[in-house]
Amino acid sequence: MTADKTLLQMKYARIISLLAKKANVTEEKAMELFYDSKTYALISKGVSDLHCLSDAYLAEEILLEVK
């Protein structure tokens, strides 16, 4: 299934905001972490409907990638 691009952009913003809070970094740094992550690459390619997972779960996955 392909997600609507506007809805994906809104999801990305929510994930970035969560990353900033959880990692205690600026929104700019969180955006960098998000867009450089393998998770983002998979979501943007539509792999396994990852966009259907919760924002919190995806933020945690990205934090695990960073560690």
Side-chain angles (χ1 to χ4, degrees), residues 27-58:
E27 294 268 335
E28 183 177 284
K29 179 63 178 171
M31 190 180 301
E32 197 176 301
L33 293 172
F34 177 73
Y35 285 112
D36 289 341
S37 72
K38 292 178 186 176
T39 301
Y40 165 72
L42 294 173
I43 295 170
S44 65
K45 290 178 185 173
V47 174
S48 299
D49 289 337
L50 285 174
H51 64 277
C52 294
L53 298 174
S54 76
D55 301 340
Y57 176 84
L58 293 169

PDB file of all heavy atoms in Angstrom, residues 27-58:
ATOM      1  N   GLU A  27      15.598  20.074  17.263  1.00  0.00           N
ATOM      2  CA  GLU A  27      14.768  19.566  16.155  1.00  0.00           C
ATOM      3  C   GLU A  27      15.633  19.395  14.898  1.00  0.00           C
ATOM      4  O   GLU A  27      15.429  18.453  14.141  1.00  0.00           O
ATOM      5  CB  GLU A  27      13.619  20.532  15.870  1.00  0.00           C
ATOM      6  CG  GLU A  27      12.618  20.649  16.996  1.00  0.00           C
ATOM      7  CD  GLU A  27      11.460  19.687  16.875  1.00  0.00           C
ATOM      8  OE1 GLU A  27      11.145  19.260  15.755  1.00  0.00           O
ATOM      9  OE2 GLU A  27      10.876  19.365  17.922  1.00  0.00           O
ATOM     10  N   GLU A  28      16.572  20.290  14.699  1.00  0.00           N
ATOM     11  CA  GLU A  28      17.453  20.205  13.532  1.00  0.00           C
ATOM     12  C   GLU A  28      18.286  18.924  13.564  1.00  0.00           C
ATOM     13  O   GLU A  28      18.414  18.223  12.562  1.00  0.00           O
ATOM     14  CB  GLU A  28      18.365  21.428  13.473  1.00  0.00           C
ATOM     15  CG  GLU A  28      19.252  21.462  12.252  1.00  0.00           C
ATOM     16  CD  GLU A  28      20.074  22.724  12.189  1.00  0.00           C
ATOM     17  OE1 GLU A  28      19.511  23.776  11.837  1.00  0.00           O
ATOM     18  OE2 GLU A  28      21.281  22.643  12.502  1.00  0.00           O
ATOM     19  N   LYS A  29      18.861  18.612  14.722  1.00  0.00           N
ATOM     20  CA  LYS A  29      19.650  17.389  14.873  1.00  0.00           C
ATOM     21  C   LYS A  29      18.758  16.159  14.720  1.00  0.00           C
ATOM     22  O   LYS A  29      19.151  15.164  14.091  1.00  0.00           O
ATOM     23  CB  LYS A  29      20.353  17.377  16.240  1.00  0.00           C
ATOM     24  CG  LYS A  29      21.175  16.136  16.502  1.00  0.00           C
ATOM     25  CD  LYS A  29      22.317  16.000  15.513  1.00  0.00           C
ATOM     26  CE  LYS A  29      23.156  14.779  15.843  1.00  0.00           C
ATOM     27  NZ  LYS A  29      24.140  14.485  14.800  1.00  0.00           N
ATOM     28  N   ALA A  30      17.552  16.216  15.275  1.00  0.00           N
ATOM     29  CA  ALA A  30      16.613  15.102  15.150  1.00  0.00           C
ATOM     30  C   ALA A  30      16.245  14.875  13.686  1.00  0.00           C
ATOM     31  O   ALA A  30      16.120  13.732  13.241  1.00  0.00           O
ATOM     32  CB  ALA A  30      15.369  15.370  15.988  1.00  0.00           C
ATOM     33  N   MET A  31      16.098  15.969  12.942  1.00  0.00           N
ATOM     34  CA  MET A  31      15.779  15.854  11.519  1.00  0.00           C
ATOM     35  C   MET A  31      16.927  15.168  10.778  1.00  0.00           C
ATOM     36  O   MET A  31      16.711  14.308   9.921  1.00  0.00           O
ATOM     37  CB  MET A  31      15.529  17.244  10.932  1.00  0.00           C
ATOM     38  CG  MET A  31      14.972  17.220   9.536  1.00  0.00           C
ATOM     39  SD  MET A  31      14.682  18.863   8.843  1.00  0.00           S
ATOM     40  CE  MET A  31      13.544  19.543  10.018  1.00  0.00           C
ATOM     41  N   GLU A  32      18.125  15.538  11.146  1.00  0.00           N
ATOM     42  CA  GLU A  32      19.316  14.918  10.553  1.00  0.00           C
ATOM     43  C   GLU A  32      19.333  13.415  10.846  1.00  0.00           C
ATOM     44  O   GLU A  32      19.571  12.597   9.947  1.00  0.00           O
ATOM     45  CB  GLU A  32      20.553  15.598  11.151  1.00  0.00           C
ATOM     46  CG  GLU A  32      21.818  15.403  10.414  1.00  0.00           C
ATOM     47  CD  GLU A  32      22.931  16.215  11.083  1.00  0.00           C
ATOM     48  OE1 GLU A  32      22.797  17.451  11.186  1.00  0.00           O
ATOM     49  OE2 GLU A  32      23.912  15.580  11.506  1.00  0.00           O
ATOM     50  N   LEU A  33      19.092  13.061  12.104  1.00  0.00           N
ATOM     51  CA  LEU A  33      19.057  11.649  12.485  1.00  0.00           C
ATOM     52  C   LEU A  33      17.985  10.897  11.704  1.00  0.00           C
ATOM     53  O   LEU A  33      18.211   9.789  11.226  1.00  0.00           O
ATOM     54  CB  LEU A  33      18.766  11.497  13.985  1.00  0.00           C
ATOM     55  CG  LEU A  33      19.823  11.974  14.957  1.00  0.00           C
ATOM     56  CD1 LEU A  33      19.293  11.921  16.391  1.00  0.00           C
ATOM     57  CD2 LEU A  33      21.078  11.124  14.827  1.00  0.00           C
ATOM     58  N   PHE A  34      16.824  11.517  11.590  1.00  0.00           N
ATOM     59  CA  PHE A  34      15.707  10.876  10.901  1.00  0.00           C
ATOM     60  C   PHE A  34      16.022  10.630   9.435  1.00  0.00           C
ATOM     61  O   PHE A  34      15.909   9.509   8.940  1.00  0.00           O
ATOM     62  CB  PHE A  34      14.442  11.728  11.039  1.00  0.00           C
ATOM     63  CG  PHE A  34      13.277  11.168  10.286  1.00  0.00           C
ATOM     64  CD1 PHE A  34      12.621  10.035  10.737  1.00  0.00           C
ATOM     65  CD2 PHE A  34      12.844  11.761   9.113  1.00  0.00           C
ATOM     66  CE1 PHE A  34      11.551   9.504  10.043  1.00  0.00           C
ATOM     67  CE2 PHE A  34      11.773  11.240   8.412  1.00  0.00           C
ATOM     68  CZ  PHE A  34      11.126  10.102   8.874  1.00  0.00           C
ATOM     69  N   TYR A  35      16.416  11.678   8.718  1.00  0.00           N
ATOM     70  CA  TYR A  35      16.619  11.547   7.281  1.00  0.00           C
ATOM     71  C   TYR A  35      17.862  10.729   6.914  1.00  0.00           C
ATOM     72  O   TYR A  35      17.963  10.246   5.786  1.00  0.00           O
ATOM     73  CB  TYR A  35      16.641  12.916   6.603  1.00  0.00           C
ATOM     74  CG  TYR A  35      15.262  13.505   6.491  1.00  0.00           C
ATOM     75  CD1 TYR A  35      14.895  14.626   7.214  1.00  0.00           C
ATOM     76  CD2 TYR A  35      14.296  12.912   5.679  1.00  0.00           C
ATOM     77  CE1 TYR A  35      13.611  15.160   7.122  1.00  0.00           C
ATOM     78  CE2 TYR A  35      13.016  13.432   5.580  1.00  0.00           C
ATOM     79  CZ  TYR A  35      12.688  14.552   6.303  1.00  0.00           C
ATOM     80  OH  TYR A  35      11.405  15.058   6.205  1.00  0.00           O
ATOM     81  N   ASP A  36      18.785  10.542   7.843  1.00  0.00           N
ATOM     82  CA  ASP A  36      19.954   9.700   7.602  1.00  0.00           C
ATOM     83  C   ASP A  36      19.726   8.251   8.020  1.00  0.00           C
ATOM     84  O   ASP A  36      20.594   7.409   7.818  1.00  0.00           O
ATOM     85  CB  ASP A  36      21.178  10.242   8.361  1.00  0.00           C
ATOM     86  CG  ASP A  36      21.704  11.535   7.756  1.00  0.00           C
ATOM     87  OD1 ASP A  36      21.383  11.817   6.585  1.00  0.00           O
ATOM     88  OD2 ASP A  36      22.438  12.249   8.457  1.00  0.00           O
ATOM     89  N   SER A  37      18.573   7.945   8.592  1.00  0.00           N
ATOM     90  CA  SER A  37      18.328   6.601   9.124  1.00  0.00           C
ATOM     91  C   SER A  37      17.880   5.609   8.055  1.00  0.00           C
ATOM     92  O   SER A  37      17.292   5.981   7.033  1.00  0.00           O
ATOM     93  CB  SER A  37      17.257   6.662  10.225  1.00  0.00           C
ATOM     94  OG  SER A  37      15.982   6.904   9.658  1.00  0.00           O
ATOM     95  N   LYS A  38      18.163   4.345   8.320  1.00  0.00           N
ATOM     96  CA  LYS A  38      17.691   3.263   7.453  1.00  0.00           C
ATOM     97  C   LYS A  38      16.175   3.154   7.542  1.00  0.00           C
ATOM     98  O   LYS A  38      15.513   2.819   6.557  1.00  0.00           O
ATOM     99  CB  LYS A  38      18.329   1.940   7.872  1.00  0.00           C
ATOM    100  CG  LYS A  38      19.808   1.879   7.615  1.00  0.00           C
ATOM    101  CD  LYS A  38      20.389   0.570   8.103  1.00  0.00           C
ATOM    102  CE  LYS A  38      21.891   0.587   7.963  1.00  0.00           C
ATOM    103  NZ  LYS A  38      22.513  -0.622   8.514  1.00  0.00           N
ATOM    104  N   THR A  39      15.640   3.464   8.706  1.00  0.00           N
ATOM    105  CA  THR A  39      14.191   3.400   8.899  1.00  0.00           C
ATOM    106  C   THR A  39      13.491   4.365   7.953  1.00  0.00           C
ATOM    107  O   THR A  39      12.504   4.002   7.305  1.00  0.00           O
ATOM    108  CB  THR A  39      13.825   3.710  10.366  1.00  0.00           C
ATOM    109  OG1 THR A  39      14.482   2.752  11.207  1.00  0.00           O
ATOM    110  CG2 THR A  39      12.337   3.631  10.594  1.00  0.00           C
ATOM    111  N   TYR A  40      13.994   5.587   7.840  1.00  0.00           N
ATOM    112  CA  TYR A  40      13.407   6.555   6.910  1.00  0.00           C
ATOM    113  C   TYR A  40      13.474   6.022   5.481  1.00  0.00           C
ATOM    114  O   TYR A  40      12.502   6.131   4.725  1.00  0.00           O
ATOM    115  CB  TYR A  40      14.104   7.909   6.991  1.00  0.00           C
ATOM    116  CG  TYR A  40      13.766   8.781   5.805  1.00  0.00           C
ATOM    117  CD1 TYR A  40      12.503   9.343   5.677  1.00  0.00           C
ATOM    118  CD2 TYR A  40      14.694   9.000   4.790  1.00  0.00           C
ATOM    119  CE1 TYR A  40      12.171  10.109   4.568  1.00  0.00           C
ATOM    120  CE2 TYR A  40      14.373   9.762   3.688  1.00  0.00           C
ATOM    121  CZ  TYR A  40      13.116  10.302   3.583  1.00  0.00           C
ATOM    122  OH  TYR A  40      12.790  11.053   2.473  1.00  0.00           O
ATOM    123  N   ALA A  41      14.615   5.464   5.109  1.00  0.00           N
ATOM    124  CA  ALA A  41      14.767   4.944   3.748  1.00  0.00           C
ATOM    125  C   ALA A  41      13.714   3.877   3.455  1.00  0.00           C
ATOM    126  O   ALA A  41      13.114   3.859   2.381  1.00  0.00           O
ATOM    127  CB  ALA A  41      16.172   4.387   3.552  1.00  0.00           C
ATOM    128  N   LEU A  42      13.483   3.011   4.422  1.00  0.00           N
ATOM    129  CA  LEU A  42      12.496   1.951   4.236  1.00  0.00           C
ATOM    130  C   LEU A  42      11.072   2.503   4.182  1.00  0.00           C
ATOM    131  O   LEU A  42      10.263   2.069   3.359  1.00  0.00           O
ATOM    132  CB  LEU A  42      12.622   0.906   5.352  1.00  0.00           C
ATOM    133  CG  LEU A  42      13.920   0.104   5.353  1.00  0.00           C
ATOM    134  CD1 LEU A  42      14.000  -0.758   6.600  1.00  0.00           C
ATOM    135  CD2 LEU A  42      14.029  -0.742   4.102  1.00  0.00           C
ATOM    136  N   ILE A  43      10.772   3.457   5.051  1.00  0.00           N
ATOM    137  CA  ILE A  43       9.432   4.058   5.049  1.00  0.00           C
ATOM    138  C   ILE A  43       9.178   4.745   3.708  1.00  0.00           C
ATOM    139  O   ILE A  43       8.119   4.574   3.100  1.00  0.00           O
ATOM    140  CB  ILE A  43       9.265   5.082   6.191  1.00  0.00           C
ATOM    141  CG1 ILE A  43       9.338   4.408   7.545  1.00  0.00           C
ATOM    142  CG2 ILE A  43       7.930   5.817   6.057  1.00  0.00           C
ATOM    143  CD1 ILE A  43       9.430   5.377   8.708  1.00  0.00           C
ATOM    144  N   SER A  44      10.142   5.517   3.248  1.00  0.00           N
ATOM    145  CA  SER A  44       9.943   6.290   2.021  1.00  0.00           C
ATOM    146  C   SER A  44       9.817   5.398   0.784  1.00  0.00           C
ATOM    147  O   SER A  44       9.203   5.792  -0.200  1.00  0.00           O
ATOM    148  CB  SER A  44      11.065   7.310   1.833  1.00  0.00           C
ATOM    149  OG  SER A  44      12.297   6.667   1.629  1.00  0.00           O
ATOM    150  N   LYS A  45      10.388   4.195   0.856  1.00  0.00           N
ATOM    151  CA  LYS A  45      10.267   3.241  -0.256  1.00  0.00           C
ATOM    152  C   LYS A  45       8.997   2.400  -0.148  1.00  0.00           C
ATOM    153  O   LYS A  45       8.697   1.628  -1.040  1.00  0.00           O
ATOM    154  CB  LYS A  45      11.482   2.316  -0.285  1.00  0.00           C
ATOM    155  CG  LYS A  45      12.753   3.009  -0.699  1.00  0.00           C
ATOM    156  CD  LYS A  45      13.912   2.067  -0.674  1.00  0.00           C
ATOM    157  CE  LYS A  45      15.206   2.819  -0.964  1.00  0.00           C
ATOM    158  NZ  LYS A  45      16.372   1.975  -0.790  1.00  0.00           N
ATOM    159  N   GLY A  46       8.282   2.539   0.962  1.00  0.00           N
ATOM    160  CA  GLY A  46       7.040   1.796   1.134  1.00  0.00           C
ATOM    161  C   GLY A  46       7.246   0.353   1.540  1.00  0.00           C
ATOM    162  O   GLY A  46       6.360  -0.479   1.352  1.00  0.00           O
ATOM    163  N   VAL A  47       8.385   0.031   2.128  1.00  0.00           N
ATOM    164  CA  VAL A  47       8.695  -1.338   2.524  1.00  0.00           C
ATOM    165  C   VAL A  47       7.837  -1.764   3.711  1.00  0.00           C
ATOM    166  O   VAL A  47       7.772  -1.072   4.728  1.00  0.00           O
ATOM    167  CB  VAL A  47      10.196  -1.474   2.873  1.00  0.00           C
ATOM    168  CG1 VAL A  47      10.506  -2.842   3.433  1.00  0.00           C
ATOM    169  CG2 VAL A  47      11.041  -1.193   1.646  1.00  0.00           C
ATOM    170  N   SER A  48       7.174  -2.866   3.572  1.00  0.00           N
ATOM    171  CA  SER A  48       6.424  -3.531   4.643  1.00  0.00           C
ATOM    172  C   SER A  48       5.427  -2.639   5.377  1.00  0.00           C
ATOM    173  O   SER A  48       5.136  -2.870   6.533  1.00  0.00           O
ATOM    174  CB  SER A  48       7.389  -4.130   5.670  1.00  0.00           C
ATOM    175  OG  SER A  48       8.211  -5.083   5.068  1.00  0.00           O
ATOM    176  N   ASP A  49       4.925  -1.619   4.728  1.00  0.00           N
ATOM    177  CA  ASP A  49       3.947  -0.725   5.359  1.00  0.00           C
ATOM    178  C   ASP A  49       4.427  -0.194   6.706  1.00  0.00           C
ATOM    179  O   ASP A  49       3.657  -0.075   7.659  1.00  0.00           O
ATOM    180  CB  ASP A  49       2.593  -1.420   5.514  1.00  0.00           C
ATOM    181  CG  ASP A  49       1.892  -1.623   4.186  1.00  0.00           C
ATOM    182  OD1 ASP A  49       2.209  -0.887   3.238  1.00  0.00           O
ATOM    183  OD2 ASP A  49       1.022  -2.502   4.102  1.00  0.00           O
ATOM    184  N   LEU A  50       5.705   0.133   6.791  1.00  0.00           N
ATOM    185  CA  LEU A  50       6.265   0.674   8.036  1.00  0.00           C
ATOM    186  C   LEU A  50       5.552   1.953   8.465  1.00  0.00           C
ATOM    187  O   LEU A  50       5.490   2.254   9.649  1.00  0.00           O
ATOM    188  CB  LEU A  50       7.764   0.959   7.884  1.00  0.00           C
ATOM    189  CG  LEU A  50       8.680  -0.257   7.884  1.00  0.00           C
ATOM    190  CD1 LEU A  50      10.107   0.180   7.576  1.00  0.00           C
ATOM    191  CD2 LEU A  50       8.630  -0.972   9.206  1.00  0.00           C
ATOM    192  N   HIS A  51       5.001   2.679   7.517  1.00  0.00           N
ATOM    193  CA  HIS A  51       4.304   3.920   7.848  1.00  0.00           C
ATOM    194  C   HIS A  51       3.069   3.665   8.714  1.00  0.00           C
ATOM    195  O   HIS A  51       2.552   4.584   9.327  1.00  0.00           O
ATOM    196  CB  HIS A  51       3.909   4.677   6.578  1.00  0.00           C
ATOM    197  CG  HIS A  51       2.937   3.938   5.725  1.00  0.00           C
ATOM    198  ND1 HIS A  51       3.344   2.962   4.837  1.00  0.00           N
ATOM    199  CD2 HIS A  51       1.592   4.012   5.648  1.00  0.00           C
ATOM    200  CE1 HIS A  51       2.268   2.476   4.241  1.00  0.00           C
ATOM    201  NE2 HIS A  51       1.194   3.093   4.710  1.00  0.00           N
ATOM    202  N   CYS A  52       2.645   2.414   8.775  1.00  0.00           N
ATOM    203  CA  CYS A  52       1.474   2.065   9.600  1.00  0.00           C
ATOM    204  C   CYS A  52       1.832   1.894  11.083  1.00  0.00           C
ATOM    205  O   CYS A  52       0.945   1.870  11.930  1.00  0.00           O
ATOM    206  CB  CYS A  52       0.831   0.775   9.093  1.00  0.00           C
ATOM    207  SG  CYS A  52       0.123   0.956   7.449  1.00  0.00           S
ATOM    208  N   LEU A  53       3.120   1.776  11.382  1.00  0.00           N
ATOM    209  CA  LEU A  53       3.548   1.618  12.771  1.00  0.00           C
ATOM    210  C   LEU A  53       3.462   2.959  13.501  1.00  0.00           C
ATOM    211  O   LEU A  53       3.488   4.021  12.875  1.00  0.00           O
ATOM    212  CB  LEU A  53       4.972   1.069  12.820  1.00  0.00           C
ATOM    213  CG  LEU A  53       5.155  -0.321  12.200  1.00  0.00           C
ATOM    214  CD1 LEU A  53       6.622  -0.697  12.164  1.00  0.00           C
ATOM    215  CD2 LEU A  53       4.351  -1.362  12.941  1.00  0.00           C
ATOM    216  N   SER A  54       3.393   2.882  14.814  1.00  0.00           N
ATOM    217  CA  SER A  54       3.243   4.112  15.595  1.00  0.00           C
ATOM    218  C   SER A  54       4.480   5.002  15.491  1.00  0.00           C
ATOM    219  O   SER A  54       5.600   4.521  15.273  1.00  0.00           O
ATOM    220  CB  SER A  54       2.967   3.782  17.063  1.00  0.00           C
ATOM    221  OG  SER A  54       4.147   3.363  17.706  1.00  0.00           O
ATOM    222  N   ASP A  55       4.250   6.285  15.670  1.00  0.00           N
ATOM    223  CA  ASP A  55       5.346   7.261  15.641  1.00  0.00           C
ATOM    224  C   ASP A  55       6.374   6.953  16.720  1.00  0.00           C
ATOM    225  O   ASP A  55       7.585   7.016  16.475  1.00  0.00           O
ATOM    226  CB  ASP A  55       4.803   8.678  15.844  1.00  0.00           C
ATOM    227  CG  ASP A  55       3.779   9.073  14.791  1.00  0.00           C
ATOM    228  OD1 ASP A  55       3.751   8.458  13.709  1.00  0.00           O
ATOM    229  OD2 ASP A  55       3.007  10.010  15.069  1.00  0.00           O
ATOM    230  N   ALA A  56       5.892   6.604  17.907  1.00  0.00           N
ATOM    231  CA  ALA A  56       6.787   6.308  19.031  1.00  0.00           C
ATOM    232  C   ALA A  56       7.666   5.094  18.725  1.00  0.00           C
ATOM    233  O   ALA A  56       8.866   5.103  19.014  1.00  0.00           O
ATOM    234  CB  ALA A  56       5.982   6.073  20.303  1.00  0.00           C
ATOM    235  N   TYR A  57       7.082   4.069  18.138  1.00  0.00           N
ATOM    236  CA  TYR A  57       7.844   2.870  17.799  1.00  0.00           C
ATOM    237  C   TYR A  57       8.930   3.213  16.783  1.00  0.00           C
ATOM    238  O   TYR A  57      10.088   2.799  16.935  1.00  0.00           O
ATOM    239  CB  TYR A  57       6.919   1.788  17.229  1.00  0.00           C
ATOM    240  CG  TYR A  57       7.664   0.562  16.784  1.00  0.00           C
ATOM    241  CD1 TYR A  57       8.010  -0.426  17.695  1.00  0.00           C
ATOM    242  CD2 TYR A  57       8.050   0.393  15.456  1.00  0.00           C
ATOM    243  CE1 TYR A  57       8.723  -1.549  17.290  1.00  0.00           C
ATOM    244  CE2 TYR A  57       8.751  -0.713  15.041  1.00  0.00           C
ATOM    245  CZ  TYR A  57       9.090  -1.688  15.962  1.00  0.00           C
ATOM    246  OH  TYR A  57       9.792  -2.793  15.560  1.00  0.00           O
ATOM    247  N   LEU A  58       8.570   3.964  15.757  1.00  0.00           N
ATOM    248  CA  LEU A  58       9.545   4.311  14.726  1.00  0.00           C
ATOM    249  C   LEU A  58      10.649   5.211  15.280  1.00  0.00           C
ATOM    250  O   LEU A  58      11.819   5.052  14.917  1.00  0.00           O
ATOM    251  CB  LEU A  58       8.831   4.971  13.544  1.00  0.00           C
ATOM    252  CG  LEU A  58       7.901   4.022  12.772  1.00  0.00           C
ATOM    253  CD1 LEU A  58       7.039   4.805  11.794  1.00  0.00           C
ATOM    254  CD2 LEU A  58       8.684   2.944  12.065  1.00  0.00           C
TER     255      LEU A  58
END
